[in-house]
């Protein structure tokens, strides 16, 4: 019997975890079409449907759920054996799991100073489509957005997360905003995983909830994301600039 390729199995594992071919493509740095073709090829080779595809939904079949359990075990064992081999015969590896914005804005610009100080240590950085809310067991260290609880883990708070409201210069020129109330009737962008962010922001600044004319969801993006010049408006769920700016380069 010819076994499926590890590449197709990994694609299946990621797509099953995220329940989205598009999200899996983002994490694997391929196109959604490539993910779809790999899953279809895997299903044809197995002779079993692994997913039930709806118009806007993607769910595992019973066979897919059963297969995923074993695939997770196989990859976990493969990773463990590989790392044991590297530890015994190779270099030290530190596995990091971080949100994309943290990797782009804080970690990568300072990574060179660490590697210079620890030349015998390799860093493996894993970023996921969505910011992790718990410490993944396959990571040595992780940056998690949340408040816990963190039983059985050693935790160090880095900084608090804040929200800011922002829009493009063109939009501000065409729609002067002098008070919070001026946001009423505007189009608001929101983070798909934090759909209550505007309500939480309004509560934090002590104002009544904003009443937009419509809301548009967006996928996760780093805090350096720049809106289109003609954007109707956008809301950035991002870290406040003060703690980021106060960290010296290389710290």
């Amino acid at each position: 019997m010819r076994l499926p390729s590890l590449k197709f199995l990994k694609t299946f594992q990621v797509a099953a975890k995220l329940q989205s071919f598009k999200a899996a493509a983002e994490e694997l740095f391929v196109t959604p079409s490539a993910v779809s073709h790999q899953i279809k090829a895997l299903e044809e080779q197995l002779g079993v449907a692994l997913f039930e595809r709806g118009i806007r939904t993607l769910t595992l079949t019973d066979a897919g759920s059963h297969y995923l359990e074993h695939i997770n075990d196989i990859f976990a064992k493969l990773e463990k054996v590989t790392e044991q081999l590297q530890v015994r015969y190779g270099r030290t590896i530190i596995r990091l799991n971080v949100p994309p914005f943290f990797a782009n804005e804080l970690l990568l610009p300072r990574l060179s100073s660490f590697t210079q100080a620890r030349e015998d240590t390799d860093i493996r950085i894993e970023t996921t489509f969505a910011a992790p809310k718990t410490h993944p067991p396959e990571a040595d260290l992780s940056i998690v957005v949340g408040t816990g609880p963190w039983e059985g883990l050693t935790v160090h708070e880095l900084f608090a997360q804040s929200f800011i409201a922002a829009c493009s210069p063109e939009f501000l020129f065409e729609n002067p905003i002098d008070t919070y109330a001026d946001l009423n009737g505007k189009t608001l962008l929101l983070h798909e995983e934090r759909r209550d962010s505007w309500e939480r922001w309004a509560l934090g600044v002590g104002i009544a909830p904003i009443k937009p004319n419509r809301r548009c969801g967006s996928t996760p993006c780093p805090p350096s994301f720049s809106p289109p010049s003609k954007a109707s408006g956008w809301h950035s769920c991002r870290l406040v600039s003060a703690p980021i700016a106060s960290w010296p380069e290389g710290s």
Side-chain angles (χ1 to χ4, degrees), residues 73-234:
D73 290 340
I74 290 171
F75 274 108
K77 291 178 181 178
L78 179 61
E79 182 175 353
K80 183 177 180 179
V81 170
T82 302
E83 290 182 356
Q84 288 175 343
L85 180 71
Q86 292 173 324
V87 168
R88 183 173 181 179
Y89 299 103
R91 296 162 57 85
T92 301
I93 298 176
I94 298 178
R95 303 168 301 176
L96 303 180
N97 189 285
V98 300
F101 82 88
F102 190 93
N104 292 334
E105 300 297 323
L106 295 177
L107 181 58
L108 293 180
R110 295 167 173 82
L111 197 57
S112 62
S113 61
F114 178 86
T115 55
Q116 291 174 5
R118 299 287 299 274
E119 295 182 353
D120 60 336
T121 301
D122 291 334
I123 304 294
R124 179 181 299 170
I125 301 174
E126 180 80 16
T127 60
T128 55
F129 184 71
K133 296 179 176 60
T134 59
H135 173 70
E138 66 273 10
D140 298 311
L141 299 171
S142 61
I143 302 299
V144 178
V145 179
T147 58
W150 315 110
E151 288 87 354
L153 299 173
T154 301
V155 180
H156 300 280
E157 181 179 354
L158 296 181
F159 45 77
Q161 187 180 32
S162 300
F163 295 99
I164 63 170
C167 66
S168 67
E170 291 81 3
F171 177 78
L172 185 62
F173 177 78
E174 298 172 359
N175 304 269
I177 298 176
D178 299 313
T179 66
Y180 292 134
D182 293 334
L183 292 172
N184 290 317
K186 304 298 189 296
T187 298
L188 304 183
L189 293 189
L190 53 85
H191 194 298
E192 285 288 2
E193 293 196 347
R194 300 182 181 91
R195 300 188 67 84
D196 63 341
S197 56
W198 277 101
E199 286 74 13
R200 293 166 57 191
W201 175 78
L203 180 64
V205 297
I207 63 173
I210 303 299
K211 299 179 180 179
N213 65 345
R214 65 173 178 167
R215 295 171 181 254
C216 295
S218 65
T219 55
C221 59
S224 58
F225 170 80
S226 298
S229 61
K230 296 298 182 181
S232 59
W234 64 293

